Amino acid sequence: MDSDCLSLLPAVCLVLADPKQSPPDDTSLEKLLDWFKELHSQSNGQVLLQHQPCLLEFISSVCTSKTTDPAILSFTLKLTGLLAATTQGFHLFDEGGLLVYVFELEAWGVCDLWEDASVRSGWLQGLLDMLKHQQALGFICGNGLIKVILQLQNDRSLFAACLANQLLVHILNFLTSSNMTSGSDVVGSSESSLRPDWVSASSEIMNAVVEALSSEDCPQVLQGLRLLSLVLSQCGEPIISTLWKDVLVPLEVLVNRGSESLIQTLITVLEAALGTPLLSQSEYKVEELLEAMLGDGNRKECFQCAALIVKLEKCPEVLKRKATDIILLPLQCVSTQPQAEKGINVVLKEQLSQKASCISLLMQSLSSLAQLAHTKYLFEDISVHSITSSVVLLLRMCSGHCPSSLIHINTFTHLIGCCKVQRCGLDTLGALSVYEENLDLRKDIFGVLLDLLQSPDSHATVSMCIFVYCMLLILAASDFLPSKLIDLFPVLEKRMCDLRWEVRDSTLEFITQLTAALISNSGFSEALHTSGMVSVLLSSLADAEGYVRASAVAAVGEAVTASFHQTVLASNSKLLEDALVQMMAILSQDTEGFPRRAVVQAFTSWLKGSHLITALESSLSSVLSLGGSDFDWEVKMHTLELAEVLMEKTLTCCPYAVQNFGSSEVRFPQALIKFKDFGLFDLLFNSLFDCDRPVCEKACALLVKLRTLTAETADLDHCVLVLNVCGNRWGDEVQRRYLNKQQAKASVCVTNGVTGSDEGTDCDLHCSKDISLPKILQILDLDDMQRMLTLSSDHVVNSPRSLMEDILSAAQQSEENIVDCY
Amino acid sequence: MPDIKVTPLGAGQDVGRSCILVSIGGKNIMLDCGMHMGYNDDRRFPDFSYVTQNSRLTEFLDCVIISHFHLDHCGALPYMSEMVGYDGPIYMTHPTKAICPILLEDFRKITVDKKGETNFFTSQMIKDCMKKVVPLNLHQTVQVDEELEIKAYYAGHVLGAAMFQIKVGSESVVYTGDYNMTPDRHLGAAWIDKCRPDLLISESTYATTIRDSKRCRERDFLKKVHETVERGGKVLIPVFALGRAQELCILLETFWERMNLKAPIYFSTGLTEKANHYYKLFITWTNQKIRKTFVQRNMFEFKHIKAFDRSYADNPGPMVVFATPGMLHAGQSLQIFKKWAGNEKNMLIMPGYCVQGTVGHKILNGQKKLEMEGRATLDVKLQVEYMSFSAHADAKGIMQLIRMAEPRNMLLVHGEAKKMEFLKDKIEQEFSISCYMPANGETTTIVTNPSVPVDISLNLLKREMALGGPLPDAKRPRTMHGTLIMKDNSLRLVSPEQALKELGLSEHQLRFTCRVQLHDPHSDTDTLGRIYTHLKSVLKSYSIQHVPDGTVIVESIVIKVTSSAEEPNLKVILLSWSYQDEELGSFLSTLLKNGLPS
């Protein structure tokens, strides 16, 4: 326990209990409660209460005051629950009768404060937190609080109603476990299972559920169902089967009524029932109820039920199969041939004839199919091929192609240009692409995708879905792609000139992914360079939108990488040359962070590959210098990552080597000289004193690594690498730190009566312009810096002490800072 | 009765993250999707699980509408769309769509920097989320689907801020977002049609305040900056990249120009250029003055404000620096603050909100000693000023908007409970409309009385005109009879004949039959004759026929007489009539029950 905090606690309690003070910042109370929770989990409430009598005084004073702010009262109720969660804490409260005072409704029911939802939520949360032992249960049952909780179950506040449900389930659970373990609990053993008020409490709750389910009031039914599903999923026997027997009749009525607003919740209840032993006993009719919800596929609601049932994990196969058949109906109906029309039910026809229901039904059908396909839960006797064909047909209809044999002309008009159905259809195709049966449909599918891409009317979000699916298609069958590139590239080029930045950006992202995925496909790389695509990519680097420029940088980066995987051509080096010119311009001039970040990342990825080293040499120092002085700290971070790769590559296997360095002893000093030429040290030292913590942290880590290497190279000649510390910020800082160190050392020496120094050479350091790298690394206390940086939390101080100080200082501040926004 | 339901997940009786769910005409709409910056865990986002109850957000919501780019209104959007999962449409104005990702990115950058941050969105997520956004223009009616339409109105407050009218059939809701009713230095005042919505959801930040004019606050700000600079001090103004910064830049730039001041003004990030680009691009969203002067001089091209380099902080002499971030918790603003805090000649002006735990929050609360990393203490000697420049409508402005829109109901959000209570009473008194102020998680239900438009056939109108006089009085209700046809989502009132024809139906005749027994010692034929004579004398104005086949007919009423073989004096009179003649039929049956005159 932090003693600083505990010493501040009495003052904080006084401030919070003072009704004249307005409550602190809305987050402070929650954070304070978080701290109490943490304390509570570490030790226990009793220790806290015994050592901090101010807490009891605070709680008592808040609860007796009629002018308490609702926020403070809510906090107090929660705190009381937390502190009374141990039997000892509970007794401390109970001794003075405080607990009854805090939680008894009579105190609140008559008072206006109860009207505030936060007070009711606080009251419920307090009881929920307290209910960790039998005494708490006895308190709740003995004081008639169950009735209040049941009332709150239908509270107008969603939060309070939800908490009430949780609390009721917790009580039921507790009642059951207390019965089971009676005798084992030392404190409550003698009375646990026999207390009549407990028995009546559980029947009160269960009766309330039955009553709610039999009610005519829809919100009440909904709350009852929610509680029932919580009980089913969180309680054990005998609660579940006892309650189920009682609710079965009203539940059957509700299921047969088929009210649309209840479907979702009813399914949730049945889903919970599926996970219980109720499923295996036919008299509990779980399966029967689910089947009744599906009906014969001739009710409006059955489609929604089917969509929910196919998602259920533990659902019996037969039912899932039936639900799948219903799910397929709308799709089959739309794509059906006239001769098959007879079998289609009237409800479905009617639904499809109206635009809103037609679209929602088809979306439901498609997304359920996608889900089934993902889980590979399509049944063997359902033809994946025919489903896929139907989806393709549907997508064609969305693009305005009316099949000659179509019977539902209304449906067709509803679908034209409908992006919602297009998106769902594409998702479903994507999910179905894992099935081999569809291989022969690839050509058709690709045609539809090209059509959609070709159309300038296609919604931007549809384009995104097309690209996702195209990627799947191509990755699944790369042999199929080369022949299609001739068709694909012109369309992509067109979309890269789309008026909408969203489409241009998605297209570039797609090209980047495609290039990366097919890097070893010579046909693709060749097509990329010969089709004129590269020049369109290069021109996208000057796009008006920052996001697009960033994606263009990534695409060009991949194109350059791909080009170097192929035979060296004159066009390849031309591409790199052009790319470098434009990318350097972006890094130095672009007003947005994304493109600049992308440039540095492209360099990092080139450097990671082993082909481009020599070609990049001339640009690397500029990238390190520009990136290191960027005003966006993330650009700086990426630049440091680039520096890290550069260091690794140079110091380890050295693919970077333009000449053979020979042995590692020779190689290290050479590498250091190379680093100096690149300006790597300037970058690292400048970053070490940056105003953004992550940058300093990264630079510090790299310098520590460098220091280790320097130390490991035993006979490193210190004169090999000398850095000029004058005229730059980091140099001043190094000198300042050095002087501070010297002064500290001198004062220690004076105190100890020692004169002279064994570091005679250091004396002149502050006069010197040039200092060797190992010396600088030694002067900077990197370990200490690293420790400090790890400690720092960017000054959003999360410590409880800071929180309490803030509460106290806010209380002293007489002026109200008028609410403002970001 | 149809109703509109409103549930705030945020901004219900608080000024935290705005997120309000509205159900209207079977459509579910989310108004704003804001973030609370005071938490570093999931509590900063609205709890969407209450919305969906296990289903996906895309299935539940018909659309999301974002009123403006402030993070307490849009900060949770990438979390909702990319992390929770929402693929439906998101609507916002063009400037909001352009500026929103800058602020989200800005906040992401200062958030990921913090330790212990979990579950936060990435740059890619912000971009993917923005791709789902459908931008719209002011006064452009956008059809979300067949039934739902939305329309944006100018809200002032910040560049691109809009109020939204949401309409389903004849029911409508207006959501104001944040707005102000007085023009400021670069933006105009909010305006809306007299659209008489069923419900107006208004912010109420300054519900009880009649704010002093913004001019006074600006004068105060300039005075303080000027005095500090005059005495050789340095002024630090921590800001976020966009919004308040531009407003204050214009203010200082004009003042420097007018006073011919020489002290340098710096802006610490490169974002001014980007921000100014947007102000230039969306010049039509600024106020008239800026638009007018734009031709001669662009207000956003600053002569006196230069880019800052961190070495300038050590320069001697006065200067003014705008530095990010605005809460003084990291980066350049904190670095400069640390350098300048010890000098009482310097000044710090905080123009915005600071989260608990930040250096900004601490010094605004008057803390004079700050513990920096490594337990080193920093003495705060510089002067600290808090200045709110936020542009919200005050109590007067809110009442003005109600007068403009003439709503049938009012609902207050984005304000403190006590202040809302006061304004609620005032609104109910002055306008005699109901005013609600739900807390977060509480649902308010407003019963509406929607008018359902019905087309009336010309023939029916002509017939009614012929019956009821020359021209109907437009102001007086009049009863009309016809057949209502509901077909293809339209309602039409036509004459019954036309309805039958159109629907291809044949008319069914509904007849009532009745038996009356009476003792009459005559033959059946004679009894019928006596009935005929009796009716003739009673119903003088009716045509009564005695048909040879043994029936008497009055209008559509057919009367026959039979008797039983066992009891020939007991006559059974059969009456049958169509439902149009029900009155006459009932009358006749009663008449005959009373017997025939002897």
Side-chain angles (χ1 to χ4, degrees):
Chain A
M1 228 180 277
D2 187 346
S3 58
D4 282 356
C5 293
L6 293 179
S7 65
L8 289 173
L9 196 54
V12 171
C13 286
L14 277 180
V15 165
L16 294 182
D18 185 356
K20 285 184 210 126
Q21 296 275 359
S22 46
D25 169 278
D26 57 349
T27 61
S28 297
L29 291 173
E30 290 242 2
K31 289 177 187 168
L32 199 56
L33 210 60
D34 288 348
W35 177 64
F36 279 116
K37 270 182 204 160
E38 208 184 310
L39 275 188
H40 186 75
S41 67
Q42 284 164 5
S43 57
N44 60 51
Q46 184 210 0
V47 178
L48 199 60
L49 275 176
Q50 273 173 351
H51 290 94
Q52 294 291 324
C54 62
L55 284 173
L56 276 177
E57 283 162 27
F58 163 71
I59 291 167
S60 154
S61 123
V62 166
C63 294
T64 45
S65 166
K66 296 284 172 224
T67 49
T68 307
D69 187 276
I72 300 281
L73 181 54
S74 174
F75 164 79
T76 312
L77 290 164
K78 289 178 200 166
L79 179 64
T80 311
L82 201 64
L83 296 173
T86 58
T87 45
Q88 293 88 345
F90 179 88
H91 283 306
L92 273 176
F93 273 111
D94 211 22
E95 273 165 19
L98 189 56
L99 210 54
V100 178
Y101 205 82
V102 174
F103 285 110
E104 208 183 43
L105 191 70
E106 275 174 26
W108 306 123
V110 289
C111 131
D112 284 348
L113 285 167
W114 189 253
E115 283 304 299
D116 195 291
S118 69
V119 173
R120 298 194 300 276
S121 295
W123 187 85
L124 288 162
Q125 186 65 56
L127 289 179
L128 192 59
D129 285 339
M130 185 171 76
L131 193 55
K132 299 279 189 301
H133 45 79
Q134 297 197 347
Q135 280 80 357
L137 184 63
F139 174 80
I140 292 172
C141 298
N143 286 290
L145 299 188
I146 299 277
K147 203 175 156 196
V148 188
I149 302 167
L150 283 170
Q151 275 167 8
L152 289 174
Q153 200 220 351
N154 290 304
D155 197 85
R156 61 176 187 272
S157 162
L158 282 176
F159 306 150
C162 184
L163 271 174
N165 267 350
Q166 281 178 35
L167 182 55
L168 287 169
V169 172
H170 195 47
I171 290 171
L172 281 179
N173 251 335
F174 217 85
L175 285 167
T176 331
S177 62
S178 298
N179 279 339
M180 301 284 195
T181 59
S182 67
S184 64
D185 188 298
V186 182
V187 183
S189 58
S190 57
E191 46 184 358
S192 60
S193 61
L194 301 168
R195 284 182 57 160
D197 54 344
W198 291 15
V199 178
S200 76
S202 77
S203 50
E204 198 177 349
I205 298 172
M206 294 210 245
N207 287 342
V209 180
V210 181
E211 203 179 302
L213 261 57
S214 318
S215 161
E216 290 298 315
D217 179 39
C218 185
Q220 203 182 335
V221 177
L222 272 174
Q223 275 307 325
L225 288 172
R226 281 179 196 142
L227 179 54
L228 178 60
S229 62
L230 278 180
V231 171
L232 292 172
S233 53
Q234 291 179 21
C235 291
E237 288 294 9
I239 295 280
I240 289 183
S241 46
T242 317
L243 181 59
W244 189 260
K245 272 180 214 154
D246 292 345
V247 295
L248 194 53
V249 174
L251 207 55
E252 276 178 309
V253 174
L254 290 173
V255 165
N256 291 326
R257 200 187 291 161
S259 163
E260 212 176 329
S261 55
L262 297 179
I263 290 176
Q264 172 85 47
T265 326
L266 275 170
I267 295 279
T268 313
V269 168
L270 294 172
E271 184 182 13
L274 287 174
T276 66
L278 297 173
L279 178 64
S280 56
Q281 295 173 52
S282 60
E283 73 264 31
Y284 292 136
K285 297 183 178 175
V286 178
E287 217 173 316
E288 220 171 282
L289 286 171
L290 272 168
E291 195 165 0
M293 293 219 53
L294 280 178
D296 297 323
N298 52 9
R299 268 195 335 201
K300 210 173 87 184
E301 299 77 23
C302 70
F303 297 102
Q304 196 193 342
C305 291
L308 292 167
I309 286 172
V310 291
K311 288 182 203 162
L312 301 181
E313 272 179 26
K314 292 175 183 161
C315 183
E317 291 265 314
V318 190
L319 272 175
K320 225 170 193 178
R321 179 58 225 257
K322 192 176 173 186
T324 310
D325 283 345
I326 294 174
I327 282 299
L328 282 169
L329 281 176
L331 193 63
Q332 284 166 344
C333 180
V334 172
S335 56
T336 198
Q337 301 300 311
Q339 60 270 27
E341 191 193 2
K342 267 183 265 171
I344 295 166
N345 74 47
V346 185
V347 180
L348 183 59
K349 264 194 216 168
E350 196 190 309
Q351 294 270 293
L352 289 173
S353 68
Q354 288 174 14
K355 188 168 180 174
S357 54
C358 168
I359 290 169
S360 90
L361 208 56
L362 284 170
M363 282 171 64
Q364 208 165 52
S365 176
L366 288 168
S367 56
S368 300
L369 274 176
Q371 209 150 15
L372 282 172
H374 277 309
T375 53
K376 297 219 171 186
Y377 205 82
L378 275 186
F379 298 87
E380 279 175 6
D381 54 337
I382 296 176
S383 160
V384 175
H385 193 277
S386 91
I387 295 173
T388 313
S389 305
S390 299
V391 181
V392 171
L393 180 71
L394 199 66
L395 285 172
R396 282 196 193 285
M397 286 160 77
C398 292
S399 304
H401 300 287
C402 180
S404 53
S405 58
L406 190 79
I407 49 165
H408 301 288
I409 195 75
N410 263 355
T411 312
F412 169 62
T413 50
H414 298 333
L415 289 176
I416 298 174
C418 177
C419 61
K420 285 181 183 172
V421 174
Q422 282 174 330
R423 278 197 303 258
C424 274
L426 287 163
D427 281 351
T428 314
L429 279 186
L432 290 167
S433 63
V434 291
Y435 291 87
E436 279 179 9
E437 292 96 310
N438 288 336
L439 279 181
D440 62 321
L441 285 170
R442 281 186 317 193
K443 205 177 149 195
D444 274 2
I445 295 171
F446 202 72
V448 173
L449 296 182
L450 278 182
D451 266 2
L452 281 169
L453 265 185
Q454 191 83 42
S455 160
D457 298 329
S458 284
H459 197 272
T461 50
V462 172
S463 309
M464 283 172 79
C465 294
I466 299 171
F467 292 133
V468 171
Y469 181 47
C470 258
M471 232 15 240
L472 284 172
L473 200 68
I474 288 163
L475 291 179
S478 51
D479 59 308
F480 163 72
L481 179 76
S483 59
K484 294 292 157 196
L485 287 177
I486 303 164
D487 303 325
L488 183 64
F489 276 3
V491 185
L492 291 180
E493 283 171 22
K494 203 170 162 185
R495 289 284 74 87
M496 277 155 71
C497 304
D498 199 286
L499 276 175
R500 297 158 297 179
W501 71 261
E502 295 89 339
V503 177
R504 299 198 299 277
D505 188 76
S506 300
T507 315
L508 284 162
E509 283 181 326
F510 171 64
I511 293 168
T512 311
Q513 286 173 17
L514 203 61
T515 317
L518 300 172
I519 202 144
S520 51
N521 186 321
S522 57
F524 177 80
S525 294
E526 204 181 316
L528 193 68
H529 287 85
T530 51
S531 64
M533 174 64 87
V534 165
S535 64
V536 186
L537 288 180
L538 284 170
S539 63
S540 293
L541 290 172
D543 197 281
E545 185 64 38
Y547 277 138
V548 182
R549 289 197 298 280
S551 297
V553 168
V556 169
E558 279 303 332
V560 168
T561 312
S563 72
F564 281 85
H565 272 79
Q566 306 306 318
T567 344
V568 182
L569 295 169
S571 63
N572 289 353
S573 55
K574 174 82 173 65
L575 168 63
L576 180 63
E577 218 172 277
D578 291 347
L580 283 178
V581 171
Q582 292 201 48
M583 284 192 181
M584 292 312 289
I586 287 176
L587 188 60
S588 58
Q589 289 155 26
D590 205 299
T591 55
E592 285 183 60
F594 313 109
R596 299 199 305 272
R597 272 181 242 161
V599 168
V600 183
Q601 278 172 310
F603 269 88
T604 311
S605 109
W606 286 338
L607 209 57
K608 275 183 183 163
S610 50
H611 300 278
L612 300 168
I613 304 293
T614 358
L616 296 179
E617 219 183 300
S618 56
S619 318
L620 267 178
S621 61
S622 311
V623 176
L624 293 181
S625 140
L626 285 168
S629 55
D630 202 283
F631 48 75
D632 177 343
W633 69 262
E634 284 183 321
V635 177
K636 288 188 223 168
M637 279 298 277
H638 288 308
T639 313
L640 288 169
E641 277 159 20
L642 174 68
E644 191 176 18
V645 176
L646 180 67
M647 280 166 67
E648 270 170 22
K649 285 273 171 183
T650 316
L651 293 169
T652 51
C653 57
C654 205
Y656 169 72
V658 280
Q659 70 209 60
N660 195 356
F661 284 125
S663 69
S664 66
E665 286 76 21
V666 183
R667 202 163 61 208
F668 185 58
Q670 295 282 4
L672 290 181
I673 292 167
K674 207 76 196 167
F675 291 159
K676 188 187 170 192
D677 294 344
F678 282 135
L680 184 95
F681 300 118
D682 275 334
L683 169 75
L684 294 182
F685 288 124
N686 269 330
S687 303
L688 188 67
F689 302 112
D690 196 88
C691 59
D692 286 297
R693 186 191 51 82
V695 177
C696 312
E697 224 175 353
K698 181 81 189 168
C700 195
L702 291 181
L703 284 168
V704 168
K705 209 183 260 182
L706 207 59
R707 191 189 58 187
T708 316
L709 283 169
T710 323
E712 278 169 3
T713 317
D715 52 350
L716 180 69
D717 181 359
H718 280 212
C719 301
V720 167
L721 194 79
V722 174
L723 300 175
N724 187 333
V725 291
C726 286
N728 56 37
R729 252 190 322 270
W730 67 264
D732 296 346
E733 190 63 34
V734 169
Q735 280 182 321
R736 194 183 60 77
R737 281 174 186 244
Y738 177 70
L739 282 176
N740 286 349
K741 247 184 178 178
Q742 286 299 100
Q743 279 163 6
K745 220 178 241 175
S747 66
V748 171
C749 289
V750 170
T751 323
N752 296 341
V754 183
T755 50
S757 166
D758 58 344
E759 292 178 36
T761 47
D762 288 352
C763 293
D764 304 325
L765 199 61
H766 64 279
C767 318
S768 162
K769 282 183 183 178
D770 299 322
I771 310 178
S772 76
L773 176 72
K775 189 81 212 164
I776 297 173
L777 293 175
Q778 191 195 330
I779 292 168
L780 294 169
D781 196 348
L782 290 174
D783 296 322
D784 191 50
M785 283 181 92
Q786 206 163 25
R787 191 182 55 82
M788 297 299 291
L789 286 164
T790 330
L791 279 179
S792 163
S793 60
D794 294 317
H795 303 280
V796 177
V797 188
N798 295 322
S799 76
R801 200 182 111 223
S802 150
L803 172 68
M804 289 188 189
E805 281 169 356
D806 285 355
I807 293 175
L808 292 174
S809 59
Q812 284 157 12
Q813 185 77 359
S814 52
E815 251 177 78
E816 184 197 8
N817 290 329
I818 302 164
V819 191
D820 209 331
C821 44
Y822 172 55
Chain B
M1 284 295 272
D3 54 28
I4 297 173
K5 285 193 166 66
V6 183
T7 314
L9 287 182
Q13 298 183 10
D14 73 11
V15 194
R17 31 162 207 231
S18 286
C19 184
I20 300 147
L21 293 172
V22 173
S23 290
I24 171 172
K27 304 284 166 185
N28 297 314
I29 298 125
M30 182 183 282
L31 302 171
D32 281 336
C33 188
M35 170 172 65
H36 196 312
M37 286 172 289
Y39 294 106
N40 62 351
D41 52 24
D42 272 356
R43 280 177 287 187
R44 69 178 133 219
F45 302 125
D47 191 343
F48 298 111
S49 65
Y50 287 103
V51 186
T52 52
Q53 304 284 352
N54 294 338
S55 70
R56 290 183 64 229
L57 273 174
T58 313
E59 282 159 22
F60 179 80
L61 290 175
D62 289 280
C63 73
V64 175
I65 295 172
I66 301 294
S67 64
H68 64 286
F69 62 65
H70 279 152
L71 289 184
D72 55 340
H73 292 260
C74 71
L77 201 55
Y79 170 76
M80 184 193 80
S81 73
E82 307 308 305
M83 296 172 86
V84 179
Y86 169 72
D87 293 326
I90 302 165
Y91 292 94
M92 53 178 84
T93 64
H94 282 280
T96 308
K97 182 174 181 182
I99 297 167
C100 200
I102 300 180
L103 288 198
L104 287 168
E105 186 63 16
D106 195 29
F107 194 71
R108 182 197 63 80
K109 279 175 60 183
I110 56 176
T111 304
V112 291
D113 181 14
K114 288 184 217 158
K115 292 191 176 160
E117 292 291 338
T118 51
N119 213 8
F120 209 75
F121 44 78
T122 62
S123 259
Q124 182 67 34
M125 286 176 184
I126 298 175
K127 180 165 83 172
D128 289 343
C129 167
M130 295 323 289
K131 285 182 179 175
K132 293 174 184 169
V133 171
V134 184
L136 39 75
N137 294 313
L138 285 181
H139 306 156
Q140 172 199 357
T141 301
V142 173
Q143 206 72 39
V144 177
D145 59 32
E146 292 294 282
E147 290 114 15
L148 173 63
E149 62 179 45
I150 57 173
K151 189 176 179 181
Y153 290 94
Y154 192 75
H157 187 62
V158 287
L159 191 74
M163 305 195 271
F164 283 87
Q165 184 188 30
I166 301 132
K167 222 171 151 186
V168 180
S170 66
E171 292 174 284
S172 69
V173 170
V174 168
Y175 172 58
T176 64
D178 289 353
Y179 65 104
N180 72 335
M181 297 297 286
T182 48
D184 70 13
R185 203 159 279 272
H186 67 287
L187 295 169
W191 179 86
I192 194 163
D193 279 327
K194 199 173 282 301
C195 51
R196 298 191 178 92
D198 291 295
L199 179 67
L200 173 66
I201 304 174
S202 169
E203 66 132 326
S204 51
T205 319
Y206 297 139
T208 52
T209 324
I210 306 293
R211 293 201 86 193
D212 54 347
S213 88
K214 210 172 165 189
R215 298 263 155 192
C216 294
R217 275 172 281 144
E218 287 172 357
R219 232 183 354 249
D220 200 23
F221 167 74
L222 291 172
K223 194 170 160 240
K224 280 180 174 140
V225 172
H226 190 203
E227 280 170 3
T228 310
V229 168
E230 282 293 287
R231 64 167 182 262
K234 295 176 168 67
V235 182
L236 172 64
I237 310 171
V239 284
F240 286 100
L242 212 143
R244 198 78 19 89
Q246 278 61 45
E247 203 182 325
L248 297 180
C249 281
I250 296 178
L251 201 62
L252 282 188
E253 170 82 8
T254 339
F255 186 69
W256 249 237
E257 185 75 30
R258 201 172 71 227
M259 305 292 287
N260 197 21
L261 296 176
K262 297 287 178 247
I265 308 175
Y266 298 114
F267 203 103
S268 78
T269 72
L271 280 164
T272 27
E273 217 174 306
K274 176 81 187 160
N276 295 341
H277 163 73
Y278 285 123
Y279 275 83
K280 277 186 249 174
L281 193 64
F282 300 115
I283 194 79
T284 50
W285 287 76
T286 55
N287 69 21
Q288 222 180 358
K289 192 180 161 197
I290 289 200
R291 268 179 284 163
K292 263 188 186 169
T293 55
F294 187 69
V295 192
Q296 304 133 26
R297 192 177 78 84
N298 176 7
M299 282 274 208
F300 300 103
E301 269 163 13
F302 304 117
K303 196 170 116 193
H304 296 275
I305 301 169
K306 303 278 185 305
F308 180 74
D309 182 276
R310 58 179 165 168
S311 63
Y312 297 171
D314 298 320
N315 287 356
M319 69 175 85
V320 179
V321 176
F322 288 93
T324 57
M327 294 189 276
L328 273 188
H329 66 282
Q332 208 140 49
S333 63
L334 181 65
Q335 198 179 44
I336 300 170
F337 172 76
K338 282 197 240 169
K339 280 181 194 281
W340 295 357
N343 189 340
E344 61 273 9
K345 274 206 295 188
N346 298 338
M347 178 177 270
L348 172 80
I349 298 182
M350 301 290 297
Y353 168 75
C354 288
V355 165
Q356 185 277 322
T358 57
V359 171
H361 183 263
K362 284 176 191 295
I363 49 180
L364 277 181
N365 278 338
Q367 293 188 33
K368 292 290 176 201
K369 277 192 189 299
L370 297 175
E371 198 178 279
M372 292 293 150
E373 65 262 58
R375 302 240 157 178
T377 316
L378 182 72
D379 284 322
V380 182
K381 289 184 184 155
L382 89 178
Q383 295 178 55
V384 180
E385 293 287 340
Y386 178 80
M387 291 204 160
S388 162
F389 291 92
S390 64
H392 292 279
D394 60 5
K396 227 165 103 186
I398 297 170
M399 303 301 261
Q400 201 182 333
L401 189 81
I402 300 177
R403 252 172 247 124
M404 250 186 193
E406 289 190 1
R408 293 189 185 95
N409 295 280
M410 188 75 192
L411 190 142
L412 300 176
V413 290
H414 201 280
E416 291 164 51
K418 279 181 193 158
K419 294 180 180 174
M420 275 184 182
E421 194 82 56
F422 176 83
L423 185 67
K424 172 181 160 11
D425 290 347
K426 215 170 152 223
I427 290 170
E428 286 180 333
Q429 254 176 32
E430 190 167 331
F431 298 101
S432 303
I433 56 174
S434 301
C435 183
Y436 306 88
M437 39 174 281
N440 287 331
E442 283 185 354
T443 303
T444 297
T445 306
I446 287 138
V447 175
T448 57
N449 194 2
S451 50
V452 182
V454 175
D455 295 329
I456 299 181
S457 83
L458 199 58
N459 283 341
L460 188 66
L461 271 180
K462 280 180 184 164
R463 194 164 80 178
E464 284 293 318
M465 261 176 67
L467 289 174
L471 277 171
D473 184 349
K475 286 184 182 167
R476 283 201 177 169
R478 194 165 124 188
T479 313
M480 279 188 78
H481 295 274
T483 305
L484 191 69
I485 302 183
M486 296 169 69
K487 200 178 164 191
D488 299 332
N489 288 336
S490 73
L491 293 178
R492 283 185 307 126
L493 195 67
V494 297
S495 63
E497 301 79 43
Q498 195 184 335
L500 288 172
K501 203 174 148 194
E502 265 188 41
L503 301 173
L505 300 173
S506 55
E507 193 172 10
H508 292 268
Q509 286 288 331
L510 186 67
R511 291 190 75 86
F512 297 92
T513 57
C514 164
R515 285 161 185 258
V516 177
Q517 290 185 341
L518 56 89
H519 284 274
D520 194 34
H522 298 97
S523 69
D524 291 357
T525 324
D526 285 354
T527 306
L528 193 67
R530 277 158 54 76
I531 289 172
Y532 174 70
T533 320
H534 182 48
L535 294 185
K536 268 275 215 198
S537 63
V538 178
L539 306 169
K540 290 205 168 83
S541 57
Y542 287 84
S543 98
I544 302 168
Q545 297 167 56
H546 191 166
V547 188
D549 68 348
T551 51
V552 168
I553 296 175
V554 189
E555 301 286 324
S556 73
I557 301 157
V558 180
I559 303 166
K560 280 187 175 181
V561 177
T562 56
S563 55
S564 69
E566 296 89 49
E567 211 178 333
N569 287 346
L570 185 67
K571 305 293 177 200
V572 178
I573 303 166
L574 293 166
L575 288 107
S576 154
W577 63 88
S578 74
Y579 93 105
Q580 286 92 340
D581 287 326
E582 212 218 320
E583 218 169 306
L584 184 62
S586 305
F587 171 75
L588 286 186
S589 68
T590 318
L591 185 77
L592 293 174
K593 270 179 200 160
N594 293 336
L596 294 170
S598 47

